[in-house]
Amino acid sequence: MTGPRPFRLHLPHQVLDGWEEPDGLAVAVDDPEYGLTSAAPTLADLIRGYGGGHIEWPATRPTHHQHEGGHRT
């Protein structure tokens, strides 16, 4: 991977845009108008911090649901 990979984080009542850095850092945009973001060392940590959800990668179908302690398949 040469640059950030964009994704959409699907939560129960909202969908957040975000990206994953080549080093694994994951960032979700909580409020684009004010530039508020949340970040975590890994995508799994970011999902766990929101209490679960699933990731949709561009040009792909959404992955299986993520739950605390879950793994992306």
Side-chain angles (χ1 to χ4, degrees), residues 2-73:
T2 59
R5 283 195 319 167
F7 62 78
R8 300 196 87 195
L9 173 58
H10 292 259
L11 302 170
H13 301 289
Q14 64 182 345
V15 177
L16 303 176
D17 290 324
W19 67 91
E20 182 181 39
E21 294 286 337
D23 66 359
L25 178 73
V27 181
V29 180
D30 296 300
D31 188 331
E33 184 176 341
Y34 292 103
L36 300 175
T37 61
S38 296
T42 68
L43 191 54
D45 290 330
L46 184 72
I47 293 167
R48 193 170 25 259
Y50 281 102
H54 69 271
I55 295 295
E56 176 185 0
W57 299 101
T60 65
R61 298 176 61 166
T63 62
H64 295 285
H65 283 273
Q66 297 285 312
H67 296 285
E68 186 165 335
H71 298 284
R72 187 172 62 222
T73 57

